[in-house]
Amino acid sequence: MASMPKGILGGFTGTIGPTVGAIWRGKDYVRSRSDGRRHGSSQKQLEQQLKFALVARFQQPLHHLLNQTFPFYKKDSIGVNRALSYNL
């Protein structure tokens, strides 16, 4: 069930039919609901997922430090994500 915290003209959260509303970093957004996966992951996708998980686990203890110190390139990006991208 969806809720509309800002009234009919504002954003909403939850699912209404095939539409999903949410708030991310203070911004309302609407997207369509995913159809889900039809096929399993390929070998290359599984390898990339393992790389991503390894780097994310390595950076986890440094989360707050990376948010404060990693170079700022994008307006809507946080330090942990920038560091993850750089290290990958």
Side-chain angles (χ1 to χ4, degrees), residues 15-44:
T15 304
I16 299 176
T19 307
V20 178
I23 300 170
W24 185 64
R25 294 195 184 164
K27 296 179 183 176
D28 298 322
Y29 72 94
V30 178
R31 64 178 176 84
S32 61
R33 187 169 45 194
S34 171
D35 290 338
R37 285 186 160 244
R38 291 192 174 104
H39 306 287
S41 299
S42 71
Q43 184 62 33
K44 285 188 174 188

Side-chain angles (χ1 to χ4, degrees), residues 20-86:
V20 178
I23 300 170
W24 185 64
R25 294 195 184 164
K27 296 179 183 176
D28 298 322
Y29 72 94
V30 178
R31 64 178 176 84
S32 61
R33 187 169 45 194
S34 171
D35 290 338
R37 285 186 160 244
R38 291 192 174 104
H39 306 287
S41 299
S42 71
Q43 184 62 33
K44 285 188 174 188
Q45 287 173 323
L46 293 173
E47 290 171 7
Q48 183 63 26
Q49 290 171 10
L50 288 173
K51 288 179 193 177
F52 192 95
L54 177 69
V55 174
R57 277 194 306 268
F58 173 76
Q59 288 184 180
Q60 191 171 9
L62 306 171
H63 180 89
H64 296 293
L65 179 66
L66 291 173
N67 278 339
Q68 294 174 2
T69 61
F70 208 81
F72 181 79
Y73 296 114
K74 295 181 181 177
K75 180 181 176 185
D76 293 334
S77 180
I78 61 174
V80 173
N81 292 345
R82 292 187 302 268
L84 182 74
S85 176
Y86 177 81

